[in-house]
Amino acid sequence: MRIRPATPAELPALQDVERAAGAPFRDLGMPEIADDEPPALDVLEHYRRAGRCWVAASGPQDGPVAYLLAEPVDGALHIEQVSVHPRAARRGVGRALLAHAADRAREEGLTSLTLTTFTDVPWNAPYYERLGFRPLPEEDLTPGLRAIRATEAAHGLNRWPRVCMRAPL
């Protein structure tokens, strides 16, 4: 699997990856998450132009089977989204994308990776814990992470238990 920056032409394919990656949430009784629209093309383009939209593909000519969006937040690289198409799941693709993001964060002098995720979804918080992420107590959230959580709450994501997590670099 090769990790590389997304190209402009691949952005619609990232939306397809997102839709496919969201479908398993339906089986967990979370149809709202399964049916949630993927990031808009202009949002994906924003991350791509900032150099923070990476894809995983089998080869240089192959389309993406996964992607990761990130942005610096309070001295950390915050993982805004990581999605793996179900046909590429359980092959270390998400782990490879996170390792790539960690390498970029180190190059920029950032101290950790952060993310927010569902606590009770097996491929969310339990998965990230296996990769070295630890839950952040509410009192340890930075102002940027508090703002992210407030935005998530405004979008209704607090209907299900969520947590902020951090992995030191």
Side-chain angles (χ1 to χ4, degrees):
M1 196 59 53
R2 183 170 173 241
I3 309 296
R4 59 174 172 71
T7 67
E10 291 175 321
L11 299 182
L14 302 187
Q15 293 177 315
D16 294 339
V17 168
E18 182 69 22
R19 285 183 191 99
F25 283 91
R26 189 173 317 288
D27 295 336
L28 296 179
M30 300 169 76
E32 297 87 347
I33 301 303
D35 295 336
D36 192 38
E37 281 299 309
L41 292 176
D42 62 326
V43 171
L44 293 170
E45 177 62 9
H46 165 78
Y47 284 99
R48 191 197 68 75
R49 282 193 180 176
R52 300 188 191 291
C53 178
W54 299 291
V55 299
S58 297
Q61 303 305 319
D62 296 323
V65 296
Y67 75 98
L68 184 147
L69 306 175
E71 65 182 336
V73 174
D74 301 331
L77 186 62
H78 184 73
I79 307 303
E80 179 59 33
Q81 184 67 39
V82 60
S83 293
V84 178
H85 195 288
R87 72 173 179 255
R90 301 186 185 275
R91 296 184 189 160
V93 178
R95 178 180 291 121
L97 280 164
L98 288 164
H100 184 83
D103 289 344
R104 301 295 75 76
R106 281 186 204 93
E107 289 172 4
E108 294 180 30
L110 300 173
T111 61
S112 60
L113 296 180
T114 60
L115 54 80
T116 59
T117 194
F118 296 110
T119 60
D120 298 335
V121 174
W123 59 89
N124 279 194
Y127 169 76
Y128 294 120
E129 283 195 74
R130 290 192 300 274
L131 298 181
F133 284 83
R134 296 294 171 252
L136 279 171
E138 203 62 33
E139 62 271 13
D140 291 345
L141 298 184
T142 65
L145 290 176
R146 288 182 193 283
I148 289 167
R149 290 287 289 126
T151 299
E152 291 176 349
H155 284 95
L157 292 179
N158 281 357
R159 280 191 57 198
W160 305 276
R162 287 185 65 78
V163 65
C164 283
M165 300 182 86
R166 179 180 176 276
L169 299 175

